Amino acid sequence: MSIDNPEIMETPTGEAVAEAPSLTEVLPELPTVMDEQDLIIETRNLSKRYGRLQAISNLNLQVPRGAIYGFVGPNGAGKTSTMRILTTLMKPSGGEAYISGYSVVTAPREVRRSIGYMPDFFGVYEDMKVWEYLDFFAACYEIPEAQRPGLINDLLELVDLAHRRDDMVDKLSRGMKQRLCLARTLAHDPQVLILDEPASGLDPRARIEIRELLIELAKMGKTIFFSSHILADVNEICTHIGIIEAGQMVAQGPIKTMRQQLMPHRVLVITLLGRLDEAKEALLHVEGILGIVDLPPEDGKIRIKVEFTGEDLRMSEMLQALTSKGIPVVNFAEESSDLEAVFMKATKGIVS
Amino acid sequence: METPANRSRISLNPLRPLLRNPVALKELRGRMRGPRAFVVLTCYLIVVGGFTTLLYIAGTAATYNTTGEVDGGTLGRVLFGSVVAIELFLVTFITPAFTAGSISGEHESQTYDLLRTTLLPERQLVFGKLFSALAYVFLLLLAAIPLQSIAFLFGGVDVEEIVISLLVLLATAIFLGNIGVYYSAMTHRTLRANIMTYVTILAVILVTTAGAVIALAIVEGLDPSTSSSGSEWVLLVARGIFVCLNPLTTLLSTQQYLVNQQTLFTFKYTFTDGTTTTLPSPWIAFTIFYLLLSVAVFFATTRHLKRIEG
Ligand SMILES: Nc1ncnc2c1ncn2[C@@H]1O[C@H](COP(=O)(O)OP(=O)(O)O)[C@@H](O)[C@H]1O
Ligand SMILES: [Mg+2]
């Protein structure tokens, strides 16, 4: 059997890569965080210096239990440094960090028991079989020998590698190694997963698989704290985001709040067949309208951009105002306040 | 619950408790997988066996006594001593190679952080690495016992000597292994760890050999009429220390006392003024000293690994 193209050979469902699901498929519903105050990861004025470089300054990270928290920022912002402190691999220069209430400095063992960590770059032991690899880490996590075979099978099932159980680890593709490493982080059933750029360097299909896996894990009750320098990664699967820039937290919170806080102006684009002035007149009577701008026509149809603040109710009122006068509306849609815009806004002026 | 089945499993495998150490199990699995372990063992036996054959040929020619017969006892001792010396040489070079990459290699393959965030105690990591490397060295030593035993055919060598030589070789391997793991923990680069290990070992060999030679020369040159027994004591102890720090001189002088005085655990020393004293045989001091030093190095390694980088 050729291993030249393991990715094609190994799609778990047996389909070819070309038939991969579309990248915009509907994702399962995200878990909801019960208590925003129940913080499972918390840092207070966390700082880290490398010589003269201040990599993290006064970072106050707040990750509630059960969240999928996307830690976003450009390369060099300090994401990896923060994670290495949280995973007890590095001492902070100042401030405190707690996981499940345990200090990463004074109670590293308890912290290690609570977390599963996947670094941004990691190696696998090449001279081992897949099951031996998991068995080794299960043993390192003090799982009794008798429980390990069952556990290994469950983990492999979860990450879709059950069929590779007896293969050598170095025969796996990059995406599969990533999933194997994820399985490894789950060996001791930790409450928190700390994943550093889990999607980087993966092809689109492997990306989707990881994303679905994360949602599944969140549903199992795990808190997921992961970093990314790509906003698209966090847009769809996060319940919370934190934006870090040059070692400082620019904004953080539940994703809905973030969108509202940072984008108080909502934008509506309306396409009409005619009667532009009447339409403008009608809209001006609706509360909350901030301004109306003409857009260049498209296919001869008139387009206007309406900026407003407030709830969805405002949109319904606007539509009613137009239709009650018989104005021919052919399209009526809010421009999504996508995270890219939130991000640009939040980091404006800080980017060097 | 103790079923007959699992009781027999335990009794059949005395290594089982040691293999509870996940690192030892993983390393041994990796080391014994594939042809490498077999190839190293074969090469080792070929080298030791080849030298033994050469020595046998050269030795039979050189030890004809006056009556025209081969002096069996002398030939036996020469053969035995040579095999041990070759083993010592190989152990000195193989053990660091097996251990100097043990921790730094985890950094180089980017697996160290994964290991570090588990619950595995640092002591188990160090012990596992050390045990798996030494188990293999031990296997090499055991495999060469038949070659050592050829000396029995000629007489002049006792079982005790084989046991003592094994002890000294083993203590040497344990110490060198600890030095290798220590440097491997101090740096993230295997190449640097190797260099530091070999330089340290070379320094120990040079200093102890030179020291023993100089102390010996001074003792030999003592003039009975002028020396006081006090200064002779100082020289005796100094020489003893240098002799017992070097495995080769330890083995040579142990064998010398065994042949000349027929004692295994002690030897008598006669001062120039004619008085005598009884001292422990060098192999005892050597083994105890290096085992203690190994324990100290082991804990230094563990302590260093426990440190969280700043
Ligand atoms: N070990 C280190 N020594 C010196 N500087 C470092 C070290 N690790 C990271 N840095 C610097 O600290 C800053 C933050 O890095 P990092 O935490 O890796 O950011 P990110 O993961 O967000 O890309 C960068 O400027 C990086 O160059
Ligand atoms: Mg990073």
Side-chain angles (χ1 to χ4, degrees):
Chain A
M1 196 158 59
S2 148
I3 49 148
D4 290 335
N5 203 337
E7 207 55 71
I8 285 185
M9 198 180 72
E10 278 312 329
T11 56
T13 46
E15 337 158 60
V17 169
E19 294 163 44
S22 121
L23 301 192
T24 53
E25 74 189 310
V26 181
L27 288 161
E29 222 173 293
L30 297 180
T32 47
V33 172
M34 286 318 199
D35 180 1
E36 291 287 336
Q37 301 309 314
D38 179 13
L39 300 178
I40 197 159
I41 303 180
E42 188 181 14
T43 72
R44 296 190 200 131
N45 294 325
L46 192 70
S47 303
K48 178 69 198 175
R49 302 185 65 89
Y50 297 109
R52 292 179 57 207
L53 176 84
Q54 188 78 39
I56 309 173
S57 17
N58 296 319
L59 191 79
N60 291 302
L61 189 67
Q62 301 187 324
V63 182
R65 189 182 300 275
I68 304 185
Y69 188 111
F71 192 38
V72 196
N75 284 324
K79 304 181 295 294
T80 299
S81 302
T82 307
M83 289 185 153
R84 287 181 62 82
I85 292 172
L86 290 176
T87 50
T88 74
L89 291 169
M90 192 167 78
K91 270 190 201 147
S93 317
E96 291 141 53
Y98 298 92
I99 297 211
S100 298
Y102 296 111
S103 157
V104 297
V105 177
T106 58
R109 217 176 144 73
E110 282 72 17
V111 168
R112 287 172 193 171
R113 211 184 282 281
S114 317
I115 59 166
Y117 171 52
M118 183 157 85
D120 44 357
F121 301 106
F122 63 88
V124 288
Y125 298 111
E126 309 268 289
D127 54 0
M128 288 177 114
K129 292 179 178 174
V130 166
W131 76 265
E132 288 172 346
Y133 182 79
L134 290 177
D135 186 70
F136 170 66
F137 280 103
C140 288
Y141 278 115
E142 300 176 346
I143 312 280
E145 207 175 338
Q147 292 173 21
R148 281 186 232 149
L151 173 73
I152 290 168
N153 288 342
D154 290 349
L155 289 173
L156 288 175
E157 206 67 57
L158 183 71
V159 300
D160 244 326
L161 285 173
H163 57 304
R164 304 299 293 248
R165 191 180 176 280
D166 292 310
D167 288 358
M168 298 301 281
V169 170
D170 56 350
K171 295 277 189 291
L172 300 184
S173 72
R174 202 193 139 101
M176 286 190 257
K177 281 180 186 163
Q178 198 95 354
R179 298 210 302 274
L180 179 63
C181 189
L182 199 57
R184 181 200 68 83
T185 66
L186 295 165
H188 55 306
D189 196 20
Q191 301 170 44
V192 189
L193 297 184
I194 298 183
L195 314 173
D196 200 352
E197 309 256 358
S200 76
L202 296 183
D203 61 47
R205 195 203 162 84
R207 237 168 225 275
I208 289 175
E209 281 165 2
I210 286 276
R211 208 170 63 179
E212 284 173 349
L213 206 50
L214 293 190
I215 292 173
E216 198 168 328
L217 290 169
K219 287 194 163 160
M220 288 163 60
K222 312 229 172 278
T223 306
I224 296 171
F225 176 66
F226 78 98
S227 72
S228 176
H229 62 276
I230 304 164
L231 273 159
D233 283 344
V234 302
N235 209 349
E236 281 145 355
I237 71 161
C238 286
T239 61
H240 290 68
I241 66 170
I243 297 173
I244 184 174
E245 173 71 50
Q248 297 187 325
M249 190 69 93
V250 176
Q252 82 175 318
I255 200 153
K256 286 195 190 97
T257 324
M258 293 279 287
R259 282 198 182 116
Q260 279 167 16
Q261 269 179 10
L262 292 159
M263 293 294 280
H265 296 203
R266 300 174 69 177
V267 176
L268 189 63
V269 175
I270 304 173
T271 310
L272 305 165
L273 288 176
R275 297 164 67 183
L276 174 62
D277 293 336
E278 271 180 77
K280 281 186 183 171
E281 170 67 22
L283 287 172
L284 283 178
H285 291 294
V286 180
E287 216 183 308
I289 302 274
L290 298 168
I292 301 174
V293 183
D294 289 325
L295 291 177
E298 216 171 59
D299 298 336
K301 288 172 215 157
I302 302 158
R303 292 196 311 148
I304 52 172
K305 188 164 99 175
V306 182
E307 279 188 34
F308 70 103
T309 57
E311 301 293 299
D312 289 348
L313 182 64
R314 295 277 171 272
M315 291 193 355
S316 141
E317 282 170 10
M318 283 185 247
L319 188 59
Q320 216 163 13
L322 294 171
T323 49
S324 66
K325 295 227 163 89
I327 296 168
V329 177
V330 290
N331 201 349
F332 185 93
E334 186 180 4
E335 260 188 359
S336 70
S337 59
D338 78 336
L339 226 55
E340 203 75 45
V342 176
F343 185 67
M344 291 313 290
K345 205 154 183 166
T347 62
K348 194 168 59 190
I350 301 170
V351 189
S352 49
Chain B
M1 201 177 65
E2 180 109 347
T3 66
N6 68 32
R7 204 183 313 132
S8 70
R9 231 165 103 206
I10 288 164
S11 63
L12 279 178
N13 190 349
L15 286 181
R16 206 169 169 75
L18 287 169
L19 294 183
R20 292 253 163 74
N21 181 317
V23 179
L25 177 62
K26 163 186 135 4
E27 295 286 313
L28 282 177
R29 253 188 201 146
R31 204 182 288 287
M32 294 304 170
R33 180 168 279 151
R36 200 184 52 176
F38 176 74
V39 171
V40 172
L41 179 60
T42 309
C43 292
Y44 170 86
L45 286 178
I46 288 174
V47 170
V48 179
F51 268 103
T52 314
T53 313
L54 281 179
L55 282 166
Y56 172 74
I57 296 165
T60 39
T63 56
Y64 280 108
N65 60 15
T66 41
T67 56
E69 289 163 359
V70 173
D71 176 355
T74 310
L75 179 59
R77 272 197 298 280
V78 168
L79 272 183
F80 170 76
S82 310
V83 172
V84 172
I86 294 161
E87 279 187 289
L88 188 61
F89 180 79
L90 291 175
V91 163
T92 307
F93 281 87
I94 289 175
T95 317
F98 278 179
T99 49
S102 56
I103 312 273
S104 52
E106 298 273 347
H107 283 285
E108 283 166 334
S109 63
Q110 294 185 316
T111 46
Y112 185 73
D113 286 351
L114 299 181
L115 211 52
R116 200 53 217 289
T117 47
T118 68
L119 299 174
L120 183 79
E122 289 77 7
R123 148 179 52 82
Q124 280 215 38
L125 171 61
V126 178
F127 183 79
K129 292 285 186 184
L130 204 56
F131 174 77
S132 57
L134 290 178
Y136 191 71
V137 172
F138 191 52
L139 178 71
L140 295 183
L141 292 180
L142 287 184
I145 285 186
L147 287 170
Q148 287 186 10
S149 314
I150 290 176
F152 282 136
L153 299 178
F154 304 98
V157 178
D158 288 325
V159 181
E160 290 94 325
E161 284 173 83
I162 291 191
V163 173
I164 288 175
S165 69
L166 264 184
L167 273 178
V168 169
L169 283 169
L170 209 57
T172 308
I174 289 174
F175 174 68
L176 297 180
N178 271 289
I179 293 288
V181 178
Y182 173 78
Y183 283 120
S184 196
M186 299 303 283
T187 166
H188 292 190
R189 305 274 301 278
T190 296
L191 182 63
R192 190 177 301 165
N194 265 297
I195 292 172
M196 295 201 288
T197 307
Y198 281 114
V199 166
T200 305
I201 292 170
L202 213 64
V204 170
I205 292 173
L206 285 180
V207 168
T208 53
T209 311
V213 167
I214 293 168
L216 197 62
I218 297 174
V219 172
E220 299 287 307
L222 279 181
D223 182 352
S225 56
T226 57
S227 72
S228 69
S229 107
S231 66
E232 205 177 344
W233 258 110
V234 172
L235 276 170
L236 177 66
V237 171
R239 185 187 65 163
I241 286 173
F242 282 116
V243 165
C244 297
L245 285 179
N246 184 316
L248 196 61
T249 48
T250 298
L251 285 170
L252 284 176
S253 52
T254 300
Q255 201 194 25
Q256 194 190 348
Y257 296 131
L258 197 60
V259 171
N260 296 344
Q261 305 184 5
Q262 312 295 326
T263 53
L264 201 56
F265 295 95
T266 57
F267 68 92
K268 273 201 173 59
Y269 180 79
T270 310
F271 289 99
T272 37
D273 62 8
T275 56
T276 63
T277 183
T278 304
L279 293 165
S281 196
W283 69 270
I284 298 176
F286 175 91
T287 311
I288 292 175
F289 175 74
Y290 276 108
L291 288 183
L292 286 180
L293 197 58
S294 297
V295 171
V297 175
F298 181 91
F299 281 111
T301 311
T302 308
R303 237 187 73 173
H304 181 80
L305 289 179
K306 273 193 180 143
R307 244 193 26 187
I308 294 176
E309 97 189 39

mmCIF file of all heavy atoms in Angstrom, chain B residues 195-219:
data_model
loop_
_atom_site.group_PDB
_atom_site.id
_atom_site.type_symbol
_atom_site.label_atom_id
_atom_site.label_comp_id
_atom_site.label_asym_id
_atom_site.label_seq_id
_atom_site.Cartn_x
_atom_site.Cartn_y
_atom_site.Cartn_z
ATOM 1 N N ILE B 195 29.859 16.403 23.683
ATOM 2 C CA ILE B 195 31.200 16.974 23.824
ATOM 3 C C ILE B 195 31.527 17.163 25.298
ATOM 4 O O ILE B 195 32.595 16.757 25.773
ATOM 5 C CB ILE B 195 31.292 18.313 23.057
ATOM 6 C CG1 ILE B 195 31.193 18.038 21.555
ATOM 7 C CG2 ILE B 195 32.594 19.036 23.391
ATOM 8 C CD1 ILE B 195 31.078 19.287 20.710
ATOM 9 N N MET B 196 30.584 17.749 26.051
ATOM 10 C CA MET B 196 30.851 18.006 27.465
ATOM 11 C C MET B 196 31.075 16.697 28.231
ATOM 12 O O MET B 196 31.930 16.618 29.108
ATOM 13 C CB MET B 196 29.699 18.805 28.078
ATOM 14 C CG MET B 196 29.604 20.198 27.462
ATOM 15 S SD MET B 196 28.726 21.404 28.473
ATOM 16 C CE MET B 196 27.063 20.840 28.322
ATOM 17 N N THR B 197 30.292 15.664 27.877
ATOM 18 C CA THR B 197 30.452 14.378 28.555
ATOM 19 C C THR B 197 31.834 13.784 28.287
ATOM 20 O O THR B 197 32.552 13.390 29.214
ATOM 21 C CB THR B 197 29.361 13.392 28.092
ATOM 22 O OG1 THR B 197 28.091 14.010 28.248
ATOM 23 C CG2 THR B 197 29.406 12.109 28.895
ATOM 24 N N TYR B 198 32.223 13.739 27.004
ATOM 25 C CA TYR B 198 33.504 13.116 26.664
ATOM 26 C C TYR B 198 34.677 13.922 27.228
ATOM 27 O O TYR B 198 35.675 13.356 27.667
ATOM 28 C CB TYR B 198 33.631 12.928 25.145
ATOM 29 C CG TYR B 198 32.853 11.734 24.644
ATOM 30 C CD1 TYR B 198 31.759 11.887 23.811
ATOM 31 C CD2 TYR B 198 33.213 10.441 25.033
ATOM 32 C CE1 TYR B 198 31.034 10.794 23.356
ATOM 33 C CE2 TYR B 198 32.506 9.346 24.590
ATOM 34 C CZ TYR B 198 31.411 9.520 23.746
ATOM 35 O OH TYR B 198 30.703 8.438 23.320
ATOM 36 N N VAL B 199 34.562 15.245 27.189
ATOM 37 C CA VAL B 199 35.641 16.070 27.740
ATOM 38 C C VAL B 199 35.800 15.800 29.238
ATOM 39 O O VAL B 199 36.915 15.618 29.746
ATOM 40 C CB VAL B 199 35.375 17.572 27.472
ATOM 41 C CG1 VAL B 199 36.285 18.438 28.321
ATOM 42 C CG2 VAL B 199 35.577 17.889 25.995
ATOM 43 N N THR B 200 34.668 15.721 29.948
ATOM 44 C CA THR B 200 34.722 15.433 31.383
ATOM 45 C C THR B 200 35.389 14.086 31.639
ATOM 46 O O THR B 200 36.269 13.956 32.501
ATOM 47 C CB THR B 200 33.297 15.434 31.980
ATOM 48 O OG1 THR B 200 32.684 16.670 31.659
ATOM 49 C CG2 THR B 200 33.333 15.240 33.486
ATOM 50 N N ILE B 201 34.953 13.081 30.877
ATOM 51 C CA ILE B 201 35.488 11.736 31.092
ATOM 52 C C ILE B 201 36.991 11.699 30.802
ATOM 53 O O ILE B 201 37.783 11.133 31.566
ATOM 54 C CB ILE B 201 34.738 10.729 30.192
ATOM 55 C CG1 ILE B 201 33.302 10.597 30.681
ATOM 56 C CG2 ILE B 201 35.427 9.381 30.195
ATOM 57 C CD1 ILE B 201 32.414 9.832 29.737
ATOM 58 N N LEU B 202 37.367 12.360 29.704
ATOM 59 C CA LEU B 202 38.778 12.396 29.333
ATOM 60 C C LEU B 202 39.594 13.066 30.432
ATOM 61 O O LEU B 202 40.683 12.598 30.801
ATOM 62 C CB LEU B 202 38.934 13.166 28.019
ATOM 63 C CG LEU B 202 40.054 12.690 27.109
ATOM 64 C CD1 LEU B 202 39.778 11.278 26.631
ATOM 65 C CD2 LEU B 202 40.212 13.634 25.922
ATOM 66 N N ALA B 203 39.055 14.149 30.969
ATOM 67 C CA ALA B 203 39.749 14.869 32.042
ATOM 68 C C ALA B 203 39.928 13.965 33.257
ATOM 69 O O ALA B 203 41.020 13.898 33.843
ATOM 70 C CB ALA B 203 38.971 16.127 32.412
ATOM 71 N N VAL B 204 38.854 13.220 33.623
ATOM 72 C CA VAL B 204 38.946 12.317 34.779
ATOM 73 C C VAL B 204 40.029 11.268 34.537
ATOM 74 O O VAL B 204 40.876 11.000 35.391
ATOM 75 C CB VAL B 204 37.580 11.633 35.052
ATOM 76 C CG1 VAL B 204 37.727 10.524 36.091
ATOM 77 C CG2 VAL B 204 36.559 12.660 35.506
ATOM 78 N N ILE B 205 40.027 10.695 33.318
ATOM 79 C CA ILE B 205 41.004 9.652 33.007
ATOM 80 C C ILE B 205 42.425 10.211 33.095
ATOM 81 O O ILE B 205 43.308 9.626 33.736
ATOM 82 C CB ILE B 205 40.753 9.074 31.595
ATOM 83 C CG1 ILE B 205 39.443 8.290 31.584
ATOM 84 C CG2 ILE B 205 41.905 8.167 31.168
ATOM 85 C CD1 ILE B 205 39.018 7.818 30.212
ATOM 86 N N LEU B 206 42.654 11.371 32.469
ATOM 87 C CA LEU B 206 43.993 11.952 32.441
ATOM 88 C C LEU B 206 44.471 12.302 33.838
ATOM 89 O O LEU B 206 45.581 11.940 34.240
ATOM 90 C CB LEU B 206 44.005 13.198 31.554
ATOM 91 C CG LEU B 206 43.958 12.922 30.051
ATOM 92 C CD1 LEU B 206 43.970 14.226 29.271
ATOM 93 C CD2 LEU B 206 45.138 12.037 29.647
ATOM 94 N N VAL B 207 43.619 13.000 34.594
ATOM 95 C CA VAL B 207 44.029 13.452 35.924
ATOM 96 C C VAL B 207 44.324 12.266 36.834
ATOM 97 O O VAL B 207 45.359 12.220 37.503
ATOM 98 C CB VAL B 207 42.943 14.360 36.542
ATOM 99 C CG1 VAL B 207 43.222 14.597 38.022
ATOM 100 C CG2 VAL B 207 42.871 15.676 35.784
ATOM 101 N N THR B 208 43.426 11.257 36.836
ATOM 102 C CA THR B 208 43.637 10.136 37.749
ATOM 103 C C THR B 208 44.853 9.307 37.340
ATOM 104 O O THR B 208 45.622 8.870 38.189
ATOM 105 C CB THR B 208 42.394 9.229 37.805
ATOM 106 O OG1 THR B 208 42.040 8.846 36.474
ATOM 107 C CG2 THR B 208 41.229 9.947 38.449
ATOM 108 N N THR B 209 45.043 9.112 36.037
ATOM 109 C CA THR B 209 46.199 8.326 35.597
ATOM 110 C C THR B 209 47.498 9.060 35.932
ATOM 111 O O THR B 209 48.421 8.480 36.519
ATOM 112 C CB THR B 209 46.130 8.059 34.079
ATOM 113 O OG1 THR B 209 44.829 7.573 33.777
ATOM 114 C CG2 THR B 209 47.166 7.037 33.658
ATOM 115 N N ALA B 210 47.568 10.336 35.566
ATOM 116 C CA ALA B 210 48.773 11.118 35.840
ATOM 117 C C ALA B 210 49.045 11.146 37.343
ATOM 118 O O ALA B 210 50.188 10.932 37.786
ATOM 119 C CB ALA B 210 48.600 12.539 35.299
ATOM 120 N N GLY B 211 48.003 11.372 38.126
ATOM 121 C CA GLY B 211 48.158 11.432 39.580
ATOM 122 C C GLY B 211 48.705 10.127 40.136
ATOM 123 O O GLY B 211 49.641 10.114 40.950
ATOM 124 N N ALA B 212 48.130 8.995 39.661
ATOM 125 C CA ALA B 212 48.577 7.696 40.159
ATOM 126 C C ALA B 212 50.031 7.439 39.791
ATOM 127 O O ALA B 212 50.826 6.962 40.609
ATOM 128 C CB ALA B 212 47.676 6.589 39.593
ATOM 129 N N VAL B 213 50.394 7.795 38.555
ATOM 130 C CA VAL B 213 51.766 7.573 38.089
ATOM 131 C C VAL B 213 52.750 8.389 38.919
ATOM 132 O O VAL B 213 53.775 7.876 39.396
ATOM 133 C CB VAL B 213 51.892 7.920 36.583
ATOM 134 C CG1 VAL B 213 53.358 7.993 36.163
ATOM 135 C CG2 VAL B 213 51.147 6.888 35.751
ATOM 136 N N ILE B 214 52.426 9.659 39.122
ATOM 137 C CA ILE B 214 53.330 10.530 39.882
ATOM 138 C C ILE B 214 53.468 10.040 41.326
ATOM 139 O O ILE B 214 54.580 9.883 41.847
ATOM 140 C CB ILE B 214 52.817 11.990 39.853
ATOM 141 C CG1 ILE B 214 52.925 12.532 38.419
ATOM 142 C CG2 ILE B 214 53.619 12.867 40.816
ATOM 143 C CD1 ILE B 214 52.197 13.838 38.204
ATOM 144 N N ALA B 215 52.320 9.734 41.949
ATOM 145 C CA ALA B 215 52.360 9.278 43.338
ATOM 146 C C ALA B 215 53.171 7.988 43.453
ATOM 147 O O ALA B 215 53.960 7.805 44.385
ATOM 148 C CB ALA B 215 50.946 9.063 43.866
ATOM 149 N N LEU B 216 52.989 7.114 42.464
ATOM 150 C CA LEU B 216 53.717 5.849 42.458
ATOM 151 C C LEU B 216 55.221 6.093 42.349
ATOM 152 O O LEU B 216 56.022 5.492 43.064
ATOM 153 C CB LEU B 216 53.228 4.995 41.278
ATOM 154 C CG LEU B 216 53.562 3.513 41.341
ATOM 155 C CD1 LEU B 216 52.896 2.887 42.555
ATOM 156 C CD2 LEU B 216 53.102 2.806 40.074
ATOM 157 N N ALA B 217 55.586 7.001 41.448
ATOM 158 C CA ALA B 217 57.002 7.303 41.235
ATOM 159 C C ALA B 217 57.631 7.828 42.522
ATOM 160 O O ALA B 217 58.759 7.468 42.867
ATOM 161 C CB ALA B 217 57.152 8.325 40.108
ATOM 162 N N ILE B 218 56.890 8.668 43.219
ATOM 163 C CA ILE B 218 57.436 9.221 44.465
ATOM 164 C C ILE B 218 57.596 8.132 45.516
ATOM 165 O O ILE B 218 58.602 8.048 46.207
ATOM 166 C CB ILE B 218 56.538 10.364 44.989
ATOM 167 C CG1 ILE B 218 56.532 11.513 43.968
ATOM 168 C CG2 ILE B 218 57.030 10.871 46.341
ATOM 169 C CD1 ILE B 218 55.573 12.623 44.301
ATOM 170 N N VAL B 219 56.597 7.254 45.600
ATOM 171 C CA VAL B 219 56.673 6.173 46.589
ATOM 172 C C VAL B 219 57.887 5.280 46.309
ATOM 173 O O VAL B 219 58.646 4.917 47.202
ATOM 174 C CB VAL B 219 55.377 5.335 46.583
ATOM 175 C CG1 VAL B 219 55.534 4.108 47.465
ATOM 176 C CG2 VAL B 219 54.211 6.180 47.063
#
